[in-house]
Amino acid sequence: MKTHELEKELGISKHTIFYYEKEGIVTPQRDDNGYRSYSQDDLQKLIMVKFLRNLNISIDDVKAILNNELDFKECLEINQIHLEKQIKSLEEVQENIEMYVRKDLPMLPALQQIQREVKNYKLGYQKTTDIVSLGRRLTKKLAIKKFLYKFIPTLLIVLFISAPSTTTVQKIIFVIFISLLITTGFIAADFQFSQLWLRLPLDQTRNQSVEFLNDRIRYYQFKGYIDNVKYFYSVLLGKEDKFIKEYKYEDIQSVELLLKHRYENYGTPIARDWYVLDYRFEFKDGNHFYFYWPITLDDDARFIGMILDEKVENVIDKDHVIDALKNGIHLNDYVKTTEN
């Protein structure tokens, strides 16, 4: 059997056949013209080699199996272990790629130091998007949830208070209108009683957020209760873009990290003290944005520290907390360490 016939029979290239000859797996005879002539034994060996190679068995192990120096089943078991490790490694690579795509992160050398970390927070403080952010961006899904949580109890209360003996279309319309009006009032304040009574961070309830993207930041800034209502309903309708501002990293004049010592409680006499950060963004066009005690979830603080350090030309950090952010150190622990 000539080389071209073997190629057609096996579906492999002549270069591959010559490689197996070089490895000593087959030893074709030469005819009078010097052309290779393969025997049926060579053909059967190459069929077996192709089968084993398709199982991702190395060429050295293939030769050992053909020479009866290695048990086929034992080889498969060893290969299975290696493949499982490779699959797990590839799955981790795939998960990291998917994470970086979702987060739309800039290319930073320090990213290799960060391991994927997702924390489960209680009281509804889960992230609303995968983007690295200060605060939580108000998404349509979150806006719907907030609206229903406010509107349904309000509607039931209004229905109970009105307690109509007869139900008319006008009465139903009136009840719905009053309920919407009261709900809008709650949306405007966005349950600010949590700040007054529970002493929680103010901007956890005002929908403000700063998102750190590949080439820019994107943020919504609270400017008043009427604007907040407009923003809330625009998110419900998918038309919030006019309320969102964007700046490329090179258009940021400075970002100041302000370490603050604050207290909070949950309606109890005992308050817990925290070291927290406020952020002041100054832009080259004269605009600015002060973010009071923004909530930061999952491992976003580390990403933010790295992005600020790499992408923002002027980071004002008199308390040197950016290293704490980059290394995932809680600010309370960081302050205690520096004080000691």
Side-chain angles (χ1 to χ4, degrees), residues 42-213:
D42 291 332
L43 174 62
Q44 293 305 313
K45 282 185 178 180
L46 290 175
I47 289 174
M48 184 58 69
V49 170
K50 181 180 179 181
F51 168 71
L52 295 174
R53 293 294 286 155
N54 285 339
L55 294 175
N56 204 36
I57 296 176
S58 70
I59 192 65
D60 289 334
D61 286 344
V62 167
K63 290 191 291 185
I65 291 171
L66 293 177
N67 294 328
N68 296 318
E69 297 171 357
L70 177 64
D71 181 70
F72 176 56
K73 182 180 178 182
E74 180 183 352
C75 180
L76 287 180
E77 289 173 346
I78 294 171
N79 254 37
Q80 186 177 23
I81 294 172
H82 289 308
L83 284 173
E84 287 173 353
K85 290 180 179 179
Q86 290 176 13
I87 290 170
K88 184 177 180 180
S89 178
L90 289 173
E91 286 175 346
E92 291 175 356
V93 171
Q94 183 181 23
E95 288 174 355
N96 284 328
I97 289 173
E98 289 174 351
M99 177 191 69
Y100 292 136
V101 170
R102 291 195 308 269
K103 288 182 177 294
D104 194 18
L105 288 166
M107 173 56 197
L108 303 172
L111 288 180
Q112 64 177 332
Q113 303 172 15
I114 292 192
Q115 301 296 321
R116 297 173 67 253
E117 180 180 1
V118 177
K119 300 176 182 177
N120 293 320
Y121 292 88
K122 298 180 180 179
L123 301 176
Y125 286 128
Q126 288 82 18
K127 282 176 66 66
T128 55
T129 70
D130 290 309
I131 303 297
V132 173
S133 61
L134 295 170
R136 296 195 310 164
R137 181 162 69 89
L138 182 66
T139 60
K140 188 172 184 177
K141 182 178 179 180
L142 179 60
I144 291 172
K145 183 187 295 185
K146 284 189 173 186
F147 178 82
L148 292 177
Y149 282 173
K150 296 173 176 68
F151 177 73
I152 292 176
T154 302
L155 178 62
L156 293 175
I157 292 171
V158 173
L159 282 171
F160 177 78
I161 293 174
S162 62
S165 56
T166 59
T167 302
T168 63
V169 174
Q170 291 83 359
K171 192 75 172 181
I172 293 173
I173 293 175
F174 176 76
V175 168
I176 293 175
F177 173 77
I178 293 299
S179 300
L180 282 173
L181 193 63
I182 296 173
T183 299
T184 300
F186 281 133
I187 290 170
D190 206 11
F191 286 125
Q192 288 304 310
F193 71 82
S194 61
Q195 169 65 19
L196 299 174
W197 298 102
L198 302 182
R199 297 184 185 178
L200 292 175
L202 183 64
D203 282 312
Q204 290 187 13
T205 58
R206 280 189 168 178
N207 303 323
Q208 291 193 137
S209 65
V210 178
E211 295 180 300
F212 295 82
L213 305 175

